[in-house]
Amino acid sequence: MGNVFRIGARNLLRYKRRTALTVALIAVGVVFYLVFSAVSGSFKNMMVGNITDSFLGHLQVHRRGYLAAIENLPLHLNMQPGQTKKLEEALLSTEGIEAFSPRLKFGAAFSNFEETTNIRVNGVDPGKEFRTCPLLLSRIVSGSKDPGVLGRGSILVPVLIARGMGVKVGDTVVLVATNRDGSVNGKTFVVAGILESATGPGGRDGYVHIEDAREILRITGEEASEYAVRVARFDRIDAVRDRLEANLSDLKTKDGSPALMANTWQKLSPFSNIARMIDALSFFIRILLITVVLISILSVMIMAVYERVREIGTIAAIGTLPRRILSLFLAEGLLLGVTGAAAGSLVGAAVIAILNAAKIPFAFGQQDNLLLAPVIDGPEMLTTAALVIVVAVVASLQPAWKASRMEPIEALGHV
Amino acid sequence: MRLVSAENLSKTYLLGEVEVRALREVSFSIEEGSLVSFVGPSGSGKTTLLNLIGCLDRPSGGTISVAGENPAAMSRMEKARFRGDNIGFIFQNFNLIPVLTVYENVEYPLVMVQSVAAAERRRRVGELLDAVGMTEHRDKRPDQLSGGQKQRAAIARALVAGPKLVLADEPTANLDHATAATIMSAMRDMTARLGTTFVFSTHDPRVIGEADVVHTLEDGALVASRKGGE
Ligand SMILES: Nc1ncnc2c1ncn2[C@@H]1O[C@H](COP(=O)(O)OP(=O)(O)OP(=O)(O)O)[C@@H](O)[C@H]1O
Ligand SMILES: [Mg+2]
């Protein structure tokens, strides 16, 4: 076996420039893929982290049917006190949950005593909410960023509305909402902070204390429209959702289907489409990489076989078995693949390290101070290298097979 | 002991519509340990015949047996094994493997065709390089050698696995006469020493005399056979 590789290596070194070119082509493909995957992955993670941490949460639990009607913030589809009690028990007993926050959501009229506009209000428990969406506080552009900012009687106003209505921190405003029975109720609030808009459907969301929300809506029990949930490990999010749904399975509607639904951020944000697109692009580049490796190795090996017909005839005549001849050429393809994959991985890792060291800033949403932090994990690198090597061997199969099937007498006559 | 016997051996090539009769019902036998040459003008069928003896080609008619075996009954792979075990080849153009050194070329059949243990390999390759006078060039690549040196390396490669039969198609055609003569006497020595049967083709009158038996081919037919020196 060692001899097969030794001969393969010598044959590759025979055409140094061609071999170097092929290895370089494969390596460039690998570098391109690794860097793209790392950069897009970093961008994706940052984007997703931004959305989930600033308003969405990782998971959300709603009563069945609420999500479909969420544009109207339907109060009659809120989870009832009995359900929220059970839900909190389930949340506490489900493994992998770091924090959760009940939200009472409603649409209201927002007035500065001169003009009125619509606002979506989230009644939250500030402590729980800031733990579930740790970036929420950092979205406060004007006013205190202290977790105590959202006391009773305070409101965080989205910048969109604050600007439109000319409202500043310290101003008094009125929220008027229609409660479930159709009667109208109002309450004054002091503006405690202005929220910069998060990207996505959080742009018109204001925040008040959940007790104030209950007061306006004249709700007495522990009712909630949704629970936002933060998981301990983002990559285990689906498993946590499944466990949570299992723990909730005894909460049934009258027709026997589960009463509460847990959904991950993908289901809740249109940005999951962008995330999916990034993944698709990454997949496409992987296909491109495979094609590059396939074509470059195939052409080099076809050429190698063609140039060496007489040599193949010679070794076949003196009794080298076809499978040995096959392995000689496969070894060459394998060596090309291994060298290209190794070189590409090294250079790719170096480029990624340089990108990290360069601390390249980019903007997403309102945040323009994000740093590009491309990372590529070991397994990803190894699978890419393994893929390249496998493709290299597969590409050599046809030429190697052709070499092994040559009739020695015809091959010897070939000049 | 007969090593090769051929009976009404024919080979016909089809060139489009035209039939080329390269061999016409040739019968002969080759004794073990003898030095046999086939001579004849260009196109008389020497290469065709050597290819049949070497189990590289199939006859169109007649039968041939080599070392008691019938190559016509063997599969591709069995023939490859049979050649590796029984036949050494020396080619007109030497056909050394260009990426391997002289030593590695001679070692090749012991590694890639048979699997001989390292120590035994070293011994046999060393011995043969010595015998053909190539020890001092053992680490050179073929392109660093003269024609005569290449052919001596090729002889060592053909003999290293201890074949019963060595076939050489015009082994001296690309060599000058002086070199051709030393190559032929080297071959003579080696085969005599190892008891190897040696069959070669040539149209060089100066090397014909080296053979024990000379068969003359003309237009695909065997027209004369005589003992050497007659
Ligand atoms: N593959 C082939 N296809 C068709 N005809 C062939 C083929 N090989 C040999 N021939 C023909 O068979 C005849 C014998 O050829 P062969 O090569 O055996 O002669 P030779 O005695 O070795 O000649 P030379 O001394 O030139 O090598 C010639 O007429 C040749 O043209
Ligand atoms: Mg010939």
Side-chain angles (χ1 to χ4, degrees):
Chain A
M1 211 55 204
N3 286 291
V4 169
F5 282 104
R6 192 186 58 192
I7 295 176
R10 297 258 186 96
N11 274 316
L12 288 174
L13 289 175
R14 189 161 157 191
Y15 306 99
K16 286 195 187 66
R17 194 183 310 194
R18 186 207 295 168
T19 302
L21 224 67
T22 311
V23 167
L25 195 61
I26 296 169
V28 165
V30 171
V31 169
F32 194 67
Y33 174 74
L34 289 179
V35 171
F36 177 83
S37 162
V39 169
S40 66
S42 137
F43 178 72
K44 192 179 87 179
N45 288 343
M46 203 128 22
M47 184 184 83
V48 171
N50 206 278
I51 291 165
T52 56
D53 291 359
S54 66
F55 65 94
L56 206 61
H58 292 156
L59 290 169
Q60 289 182 0
V61 183
H62 302 96
R63 206 164 126 191
R64 171 177 290 273
Y66 187 88
L67 264 187
I70 196 163
E71 281 309 312
N72 308 322
L73 303 172
L75 294 172
H76 70 279
L77 285 175
N78 281 346
M79 292 172 269
Q80 294 309 302
Q83 289 175 319
T84 58
K85 185 162 172 287
K86 284 246 174 67
L87 172 57
E88 295 217 358
E89 281 167 16
L91 286 166
L92 287 171
S93 65
T94 301
E95 196 193 319
I97 289 180
E98 190 174 286
F100 57 85
S101 170
R103 293 169 178 168
L104 192 52
K105 295 167 92 95
F106 58 99
F110 176 98
S111 165
N112 60 358
F113 302 101
E114 286 167 9
E115 288 175 277
T116 303
T117 185
N118 292 321
I119 186 171
R120 298 156 52 100
V121 186
N122 293 272
V124 296
D125 175 326
K128 288 181 177 170
E129 182 67 21
F130 297 147
R131 243 178 295 131
T132 307
C133 295
L135 284 182
L136 180 56
L137 277 173
S138 68
R139 279 174 58 205
I140 299 175
V141 282
S142 157
S144 162
K145 291 194 184 200
D146 186 87
V149 65
L150 195 60
R152 292 292 308 262
S154 299
I155 182 168
L156 295 174
V157 182
V159 69
L160 228 64
I161 289 175
R163 221 181 273 143
M165 304 285 284
V167 167
K168 288 181 296 296
V169 172
D171 290 358
T172 302
V173 297
V174 178
L175 289 187
V176 178
T178 310
N179 60 35
R180 203 164 24 209
D181 329 318
S183 59
V184 172
N185 193 16
K187 180 172 165 55
T188 58
F189 288 88
V190 175
V191 176
I194 310 292
L195 281 178
E196 73 172 4
S197 65
T199 317
R204 280 184 90 80
D205 279 29
Y207 288 83
V208 299
H209 198 284
I210 194 164
E211 292 300 336
D212 293 336
R214 290 194 177 115
E215 192 185 319
I216 296 182
L217 296 172
R218 295 204 174 96
I219 288 172
T220 44
E222 305 271 310
E223 201 172 288
S225 316
E226 75 185 16
Y227 270 73
V229 180
R230 181 173 188 78
V231 297
R233 288 195 49 182
F234 189 71
D235 54 337
R236 299 274 168 81
I237 188 163
D238 287 324
V240 174
R241 190 230 13 236
D242 293 346
R243 280 200 291 270
L244 180 59
E245 283 203 323
N247 287 345
L248 290 172
S249 57
D250 50 336
L251 275 176
K252 294 265 194 323
T253 58
K254 279 185 212 90
D255 62 12
S257 43
L260 302 186
M261 311 289 292
N263 286 297
T264 61
W265 69 274
Q266 283 108 318
K267 203 62 187 294
L268 304 165
S269 166
F271 273 90
S272 64
N273 289 329
I274 294 183
R276 261 202 297 279
M277 222 151 79
I278 290 176
D279 288 341
L281 228 74
S282 184
F283 178 74
F284 177 74
I285 291 191
R286 193 172 261 232
I287 301 276
L288 216 71
L289 172 67
I290 292 174
T291 314
V292 165
V293 175
L294 202 72
I295 291 177
S296 55
I297 300 254
L298 191 63
S299 63
V300 159
M301 293 311 293
I302 286 176
M303 224 178 320
V305 170
Y306 180 77
E307 285 162 348
R308 276 186 252 151
V309 172
R310 242 171 52 122
E311 265 171 74
I312 296 165
T314 305
I315 62 173
I318 67 180
T320 312
L321 293 182
R323 61 163 180 270
R324 257 292 153 74
I325 298 176
L326 185 86
S327 68
L328 274 170
F329 284 91
L330 287 186
E332 265 180 63
L334 180 71
L335 284 174
L336 278 174
V338 167
T339 322
S345 300
L346 283 178
V347 176
V351 170
I352 291 168
I354 290 169
L355 284 179
N356 268 314
K359 300 209 188 306
I360 298 168
F362 73 99
F364 178 72
Q366 297 298 303
Q367 282 181 272
D368 51 8
N369 54 347
L370 297 172
L371 286 180
L372 200 61
V375 278
I376 193 101
D377 51 354
E380 169 89 11
M381 212 137 148
L382 283 180
T383 24
T384 305
L387 180 76
V388 166
I389 293 166
V390 168
V391 171
V393 173
V394 169
S396 328
L397 265 174
Q398 192 273 341
W401 174 254
K402 201 175 153 220
S404 77
R405 301 304 301 175
M406 276 179 192
E407 280 301 330
I409 185 167
E410 282 159 25
L412 279 168
H414 184 101
V415 196
Chain B
M1 260 292 283
R2 278 185 181 173
L3 189 64
V4 181
S5 60
E7 205 75 45
N8 300 324
L9 210 55
S10 300
K11 180 75 189 181
T12 307
Y13 292 107
L14 263 183
L15 271 179
E17 300 280 285
V18 190
E19 280 193 358
V20 182
R21 302 195 58 193
L23 283 179
R24 303 164 192 255
E25 309 202 327
V26 174
S27 301
F28 61 90
S29 62
I30 295 172
E31 293 297 316
E32 222 176 304
S34 58
L35 191 56
V36 177
S37 90
F38 287 91
V39 299
S42 180
S44 57
K46 303 182 295 288
T47 299
T48 305
L49 185 57
L50 253 57
N51 286 342
L52 290 176
I53 299 172
C55 308
L56 291 170
D57 207 356
R58 298 174 176 282
S60 316
T63 56
I64 184 164
S65 90
V66 182
E69 302 281 340
N70 175 13
M74 292 185 217
S75 72
R76 225 175 97 79
M77 190 136 97
E78 285 166 341
K79 272 194 281 195
R81 271 218 182 86
F82 181 79
R83 288 196 301 268
D85 289 343
N86 298 288
I87 305 175
F89 289 89
I90 299 171
F91 303 91
Q92 183 177 333
N93 299 308
F94 326 122
N95 290 16
L96 296 171
I97 299 166
V99 295
L100 300 182
T101 63
V102 166
Y103 184 93
E104 289 163 339
N105 262 288
V106 176
E107 194 189 25
Y108 180 94
L110 302 182
V111 182
M112 299 292 284
V113 180
Q114 307 184 341
S115 15
V116 175
E120 171 69 2
R121 236 160 44 212
R122 263 196 300 280
R123 191 184 67 73
R124 271 156 75 174
V125 176
E127 221 173 77
L128 272 157
L129 285 176
D130 241 13
V132 295
M134 286 294 288
T135 305
E136 58 174 318
H137 305 295
R138 48 174 282 164
D139 294 324
K140 287 188 180 160
R141 297 275 176 99
D143 57 7
Q144 298 167 310
L145 301 175
S146 71
Q149 289 167 338
K150 281 184 202 169
Q151 200 57 306
R152 277 188 275 159
I155 292 169
R157 178 178 68 182
L159 290 170
V160 75
K164 293 193 179 75
L165 174 65
V166 172
L167 298 174
D169 192 8
E170 313 211 23
T172 58
N174 286 333
L175 303 174
D176 61 75
H177 285 305
T179 314
T182 48
I183 289 292
M184 283 315 290
S185 63
M187 214 102 83
R188 223 198 144 79
D189 280 2
M190 300 291 306
T191 47
R193 182 145 27 122
L194 300 167
T196 314
T197 308
F198 186 66
V199 177
F200 67 100
S201 76
T202 187
H203 41 225
D204 182 347
R206 255 165 283 199
V207 299
I208 297 171
E210 299 280 342
D212 300 331
V213 183
V214 180
H215 295 292
T216 307
L217 285 168
E218 244 167 55
D219 204 11
L222 197 58
V223 294
S225 300
R226 63 180 165 83
K227 290 261 189 295
E230 279 176 19

